[in-house]
Amino acid sequence: PVFKGTPSLKVLREAGVRSVQSTPMISRSGELLGVITTQRSVPHSPNEQDFRLMDLLVRQAADLIERAAAEEKLRSSEKKYRQLFDSMSEGFLLVEPILAGSGLPLSCRLLDANQAISVLTSRKSEDFMGEDIRDVLPNLESCWIDTFARVARTGSPERIELYVADLNGWFHINAYSPEPGKAALIFANVTKRKQAEEALRKSERRLGSFFESDMVGTIFWTMDGGITDANDRFLRMIGYSREDVV
């Protein structure tokens, strides 16, 4: 009755098909995935055993299709994550503490890294997998290792900013634990900022020394002419106290 009056009936007869059994494939979430059809060259009415066997095969096929779709979705998601991961301007490291028998942190094992690490070390990120961080940065201070191990153990995020001699620069690191026993490190090179801050401090010290010297009278004022400060030399020159002019 299903094929009666349709072009399919003629095609089936010409192919020698005399009976057809179709069973829908339904996912465990209720989604229709497709239909499995068996065809015979002789008339046949399926019995209970035929139905049970076909239901079993269809259930297995639906599970395989659903699993394959989930795996493909996961691969696609991982690919997008990896592209985002490697395009980050900040460096990323995933580490696992290496502990002594007493539980004290000795070092860290590198589990993953993005492409930004290559810019800092002139080595491919793939080269770091499984390495001891002290083999890559032999002069790394113990306070870094202690921080990473503490974050991995407690799960509490921390920030640290220190000089790394092996990379000849200052780095700011945000450390957090994505899972127990591991620490993820997002780091940025802040050497230029540190150099600018140090240059500003030196400039301020030079200005302060000049201001406090007794060689030249110095005065600071606002755009509207109000005096904000003056050194002793200037005050003696005009014969006023600091309280009188500021």
Side-chain angles (χ1 to χ4, degrees), residues 9 14 17 44 61 76 78 84 92-93 102 113 118 122 137-138 159 190 198 207 210 213 218 221-223 241:
L9 181 60
E14 289 177 350
V17 176
H44 176 75
S76 177
E78 288 176 343
L84 174 63
F92 178 92
L93 286 174
S102 61
S118 303
S122 301
L137 304 172
R159 294 181 180 182
V190 295
E198 180 58 26
L207 181 60
F210 178 77
S213 72
T218 306
W221 65 85
T222 61
M223 294 297 293
S241 69

Side-chain angles (χ1 to χ4, degrees), residues 14 26 36 63 65 76 81 92 142 159 161 166 172 245:
E14 289 177 350
I26 307 297
I36 290 183
D63 286 345
I65 291 173
S76 177
Y81 160 75
F92 178 92
S142 296
R159 294 181 180 182
E161 188 170 287
D166 295 300
H172 178 90
V245 298

Side-chain angles (χ1 to χ4, degrees), residues 32-233:
L32 177 63
L33 301 176
V35 176
I36 290 183
T37 299
T38 57
Q39 302 170 348
R40 298 173 183 264
S41 59
V42 295
H44 176 75
S45 295
N47 55 33
E48 188 64 28
Q49 184 177 356
D50 292 331
F51 282 125
R52 285 201 299 269
L53 177 60
M54 183 55 65
D55 286 344
L56 176 62
L57 293 174
V58 167
R59 177 73 270 152
Q60 292 176 340
D63 286 345
L64 289 172
I65 291 173
E66 194 169 25
R67 185 182 308 144
E71 290 174 351
E72 177 58 31
K73 185 176 180 180
L74 178 61
R75 281 192 296 271
S76 177
S77 176
E78 288 176 343
K79 183 178 180 181
K80 291 179 180 178
Y81 160 75
R82 192 75 208 188
Q83 290 173 339
L84 174 63
F85 180 63
D86 285 333
S87 65
M88 290 171 55
S89 58
E90 296 87 359
F92 178 92
L93 286 174
L94 181 65
V95 302
E96 181 180 46
I98 299 174
L99 306 177
S102 61
L104 294 176
L106 300 176
S107 186
C108 288
R109 183 172 293 104
L110 301 172
L111 304 179
D112 202 357
N114 68 351
Q115 294 299 325
I117 193 70
S118 303
V119 178
L120 296 172
T121 62
S122 301
R123 295 175 59 183
K124 294 181 180 179
S125 59
E126 295 82 2
D127 295 340
F128 291 92
M129 302 306 100
E131 283 203 38
D132 187 322
I133 196 171
R134 290 198 180 279
D135 291 336
V136 181
L137 304 172
N139 298 305
L140 190 67
E141 296 183 36
S142 296
C143 60
W144 290 83
I145 303 298
D146 294 342
T147 299
F148 304 157
R150 186 166 55 251
V151 169
R153 185 183 72 254
T154 66
S156 299
E158 293 191 32
R159 294 181 180 182
I160 185 173
E161 188 170 287
L162 288 172
Y163 182 77
V164 180
D166 295 300
L167 299 177
N168 191 29
W170 285 84
F171 291 85
H172 178 90
I173 290 185
N174 287 311
Y176 68 95
S177 179
E179 58 181 283
K182 295 178 182 178
L185 319 173
I186 299 176
F187 58 92
N189 189 327
V190 295
T191 304
K192 290 184 178 180
R193 193 200 77 201
K194 285 287 187 178
Q195 291 172 341
E197 290 174 351
E198 180 58 26
L200 179 60
R201 282 193 292 269
K202 288 181 178 179
S203 176
E204 290 175 341
R205 285 197 295 268
R206 287 195 298 268
L207 181 60
S209 298
F210 178 77
F211 179 74
E212 293 171 3
S213 72
D214 208 37
M215 298 175 60
V216 180
T218 306
I219 182 174
F220 292 96
W221 65 85
T222 61
M223 294 297 293
D224 59 5
I227 298 175
T228 60
D229 204 354
N231 68 353
D232 293 339
R233 173 76 175 191

